[in-house]
DNA sequence: GAATGCATGGTTTTT
DNA sequence: CCATGCATTC
């Protein structure tokens, strides 16, 4: 074995092992050969990873640039880097390669532009298409092969294509494996989709994983270089990797074989994204000399929470049997609460949070509300909006997914890659500069572009500046003028881009495209959207320090790989976190609410439908619930609604079968409808329900679980209509209305300067001025 | 070719 | 309920 892998020479690396238990220490110091760590939730897996990297660098003298660490999100990578920095001191980990599979793939392609162009036919200025771009492309592909996007769902095509790519099947190979007529349709669409993608000089997310492998196939010496380089490879969240990711990792690790993977099969929740749980279950078969280490001691949660999680996950059949343990205190009972509908659910959660903040000195940051579908976030967000509790929504409509943001980004992308057809269509459809141009015009210019072997945008420029090209697309009249105008604008912007900073470029773009002027200053919503556009300017300005030629590509790369969870700590700091169960993986909070724990939602209806033909999706739903439970450190609340608004109609809901696994003795439950002991199906409606209004959430205040950290609960002040009050932020006001809400009050106050506000009595720092 | 109004159908999760 | 897409109108 190589010299770099020698055992530590100097003795004093105890600080790197300090505070770790025996299993964790083994995981940190077992540095040779393949290692599989099966780590339960809260068992200190991030600590193990960071300490191991620090140990490799400091104790084993492995140069940081020879370590590759793959994480699930960029945020995880960033945090880990910080923690390593703290262990080793600044700069000691300089050169460490750490990021997601996708960012690693993108980086690899960017770093080998010559080979990529030569062997894969992709030019260095390629763009990465996001979900919406891919959808647009799939739709176009369906139309191009003579099918109707209304009958052949683009979404479904995309997921089939993605599945094919996850198995490294190219269109030709997929065609060879066609079995049904539907497969044949997919094959045709896939082929066309891929053709359009390459014509736009674009790659999709799956390509970021698949193309590096193809590149290695085409250029074995490149693979050898990477194999030689990475002495140690670490992979986090290994249970959520797919086939391509496995192939990539196995290829890179083939030489030195120091592959360290960490995961928890019980937290595998990305099967729908082709994550292949076999990667972790079969690790030892793939690497027979692998050492396996189990981390089962939970440091995160109370005993009640850990045991509840264990009981829930035990019901799954497809798993390695093991038992979660903890030495933590019992903690409080888990509260299960049924509410009459989704609005009551939301306000109940909000009010409970308000009370906990008020009575137990907790901060809004300590709370998370989790749900299965993003649609659920709306009502919950609404409830918080009507309160003074700060909150933030993770997921949902992301900043970079907003239409107005994508519009401006489309111009930037087009400047970077003039072949980008999705972005060009976007600009034409949404910006004033596109007026007078339709599909007809684009088609005429495209035929010119294809004939001349030029990117689409050049056709527009040829019309604007006939001297630059031998001929021009065949257009006339107003269409020609409109196309020429767009062409001339882009010619100008392109030269601007070479010398201006991104924020200066931004100013020109919104001015010259007429985009800024298209926002109606009288229209409040339009102004809000314009404010978002200006926010994008701030974002761009962060790259102004880079030289003009470099800033744009760097920025675009960063944007296409960023996710909402990545910006979780950057954007609007503080507040209650509203988050999907999927996004919550890897996070932890003192107090967790899981909302909508109902049949059809968790488990989701699609998993129920196929329960008997394929039980895997249902088991994945259960794992999702398990992930949610195990995010909680101290307090766990689970809610469900009796009726729920679905597509604008109220539907009766049945509490989730998963609740049957929870021990009644350890929970605080009122509803008789909740599934009882294990074994009982628990999903058949057992209680008679009337119109849906017959059931009311208990109005009587119940015994509260004892405080987390127990300061005495101050009595909430009592307010009267007409009282004059003072608020530190809103100033002086008069109480208009007082309404009781369970054990608290809500007051409507008319402030002199800030208008009417609704405040929670116990929360708002109101001072009574006269009585 | 663009603005307005109606019908339709869609919600699982995300790098 | 909502957003999107299409048809109708000018």
């Amino acid at each position: 074995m190589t010299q770099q892998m020698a055992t530590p020479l100097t003795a004093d690396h105890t600080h790197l092992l300090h505070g770790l238990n025996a299993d964790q220490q083994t995981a940190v110091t077992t540095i040779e050969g393949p290692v599989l760590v099966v780590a339960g939730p809260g068992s200190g897996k991030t600590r193990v990873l960071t300490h191991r990297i620090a140990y490799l660098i400091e104790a084993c003298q492995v140069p940081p640039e020879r370590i590759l660490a793959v994480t699930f999100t960029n945020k995880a990578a960033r945090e880990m880097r910080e923690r390593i920095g703290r262990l080793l001191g600044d700069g000691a980990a300089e050169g460490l390669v750490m990021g997601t599979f996708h960012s690693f793939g993108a980086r690899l392609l960017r770093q080998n532009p010559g080979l990529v162009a030569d062997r894969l036919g992709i030019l260095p200025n390629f763009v990465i298409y996001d979900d919406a771009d891919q959808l647009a492309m799939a739709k176009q592909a369906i139309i191009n092969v003579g099918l109707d996007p209304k009958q052949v769902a683009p979404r479904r095509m995309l997921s089939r294509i993605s599945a094919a790519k996850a198995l490294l099947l190219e269109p030709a190979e997929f065609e060879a494996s066609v079995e049904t007529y539907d497969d044949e349709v997919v094959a045709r669409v896939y082929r066309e989709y891929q053709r359009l993608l390459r014509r736009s000089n674009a790659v999709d997310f799956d390509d970021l994983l698949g193309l590096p492998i193809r590149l290695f196939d085409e250029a074995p010496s490149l693979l050898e270089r990477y194999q030689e380089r990475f002495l140690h490879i670490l992979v986090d969240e290994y249970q959520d990797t797919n086939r391509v990711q496995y192939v990539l990792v196995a290829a890179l690790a083939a030489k030195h074989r120091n592959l360290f993977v960490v995961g928890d099969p019980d937290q595998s929740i990305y099967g729908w994204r082709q994550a292949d749980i076999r990667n972790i279950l079969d690790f030892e078969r793939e690497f027979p000399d692998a050492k396996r280490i189990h981390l089962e001691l939970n440091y995160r949660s109370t005993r009640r929470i850990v045991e509840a999680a264990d009981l829930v996950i035990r019901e799954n059949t497809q798993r390695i049997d093991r038992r979660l343990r903890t030495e933590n205190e019992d903690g409080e009972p888990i509260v299960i609460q049924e509410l009459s509908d989704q609005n009551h659910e939301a306000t109940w959660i909000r009010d409970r949070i308000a009370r906990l903040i008020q009575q137990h000195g907790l901060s809004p940051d300590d709370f998370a509300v989790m749900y299965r579908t993003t649609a659920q976030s709306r009502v919950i967000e609404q409830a918080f909006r009507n309160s003074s509790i700060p909150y933030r929504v993770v997921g949902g409509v992301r900043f970079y997914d907003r239409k107005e943001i994508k519009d401006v980004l489309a111009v930037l992308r087009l400047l970077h890659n003039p072949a980008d057809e999705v972005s060009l269509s976007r600009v034409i459809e949404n910006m004033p500069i596109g007026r007078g141009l339709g599909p007809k015009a684009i088609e005429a210019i495209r035929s010119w572009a294809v004939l001349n072997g030029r990117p689409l945008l050049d056709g527009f420029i040829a019309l604007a500046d006939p001297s630059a090209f031998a001929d021009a697309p065949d257009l006339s009249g107003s269409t020609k003028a409109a196309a020429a105008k767009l062409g001339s604008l882009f010619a100008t912007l392109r030269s601007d881009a070479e010398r201006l900073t991104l924020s200066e470029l931004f100013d020109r773009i919104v001015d010259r495209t007429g985009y800024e002027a298209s926002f109606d200053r009288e229209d409040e919503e339009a102004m809000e959207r314009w404010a978002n556009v200006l926010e994008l300017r701030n974002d761009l300005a962060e790259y102004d320090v880079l030289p003009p030629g470099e800033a744009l590509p760097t920025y675009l790369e960063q944007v296409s790989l960023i996710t909402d969870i990545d910006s979780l700590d950057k954007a609007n700091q503080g507040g209650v976190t509203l988050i999907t169960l999927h996004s919550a993986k890897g996070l932890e909070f003192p107090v967790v609410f899981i909302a909508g724990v109902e049949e059809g939602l968790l488990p989701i209806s699609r998993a129920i439908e196929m329960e008997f033909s394929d039980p895997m999706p249902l088991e994945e739903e259960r794992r999702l619930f398990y992930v949610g439970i195990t995010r909680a450190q101290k307090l766990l609340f689970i809610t469900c609604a009796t009726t729920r608004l679905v597509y604008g109609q109220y539907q009766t809901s049945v509490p989730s079968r998963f609740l049957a696994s929870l021990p009644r003795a350890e929970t605080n439950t009122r509803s008789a409808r909740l599934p009882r002991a294990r074994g009982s199906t628990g999903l058949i409606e057992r209680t008679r329900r009337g119109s849906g209004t017959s059931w009311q959430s208990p109005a009587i205040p119940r015994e509260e679980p004892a405080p987390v950290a127990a300061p005495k609960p101050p009595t909430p002040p009592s307010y009267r209509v007409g009282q004059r009050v003072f608020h530190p932020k809103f100033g002086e006001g008069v109480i208009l209305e007082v309404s009781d809400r369970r054990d608290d009050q809500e007051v409507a106050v008319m402030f002199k300067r800030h208008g009417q506000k609704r405040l929670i009595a116990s929360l708002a720092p109101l001072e009574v001025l006269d009585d």
Side-chain angles (χ1 to χ4, degrees), chain A residues 41-42 267 298-309 324 326 328-335 366-370 581 584-594 625-638:
Chain A
Q267 292 186 66
N298 178 298
Y299 294 96
R300 177 185 296 155
S301 314
T302 64
R303 199 216 87 221
R304 279 194 171 96
I305 290 169
V306 169
E307 284 185 1
L324 269 189
T326 186
N328 291 340
E329 56 189 20
D330 287 358
E332 299 308 319
I334 294 161
V335 177
D366 295 331
F367 297 85
V369 184
M370 302 178 184
L581 287 162
K585 190 184 65 166
L587 306 178
E588 59 184 346
F589 300 88
V591 188
V592 168
F593 290 76
I594 307 178
F625 187 43
Y626 173 77
V627 165
I629 294 172
T630 54
R631 300 308 95 199
Q633 297 168 332
K634 299 287 184 193
L635 294 181
L636 176 62
F637 295 85
I638 294 167

Side-chain angles (χ1 to χ4, degrees), chain A residues 415-466:
Chain A
L415 289 171
H416 177 62
N417 173 19
D420 184 343
E421 299 188 11
V422 171
S423 293
L424 183 64
S425 307
R426 231 200 140 81
V427 169
I428 288 174
E429 278 164 30
N430 298 319
M431 290 181 148
I433 188 73
R435 291 266 163 80
L437 294 170
K440 258 189 342 192
I442 295 180
E443 210 34 64
I445 295 169
R446 177 174 296 126
S447 21
W448 176 91
V450 170
L451 206 66
N452 290 271
R454 312 284 316 178
L456 190 54
L457 189 65
D458 281 8
F460 290 83
I461 293 171
L463 285 164
D465 180 12

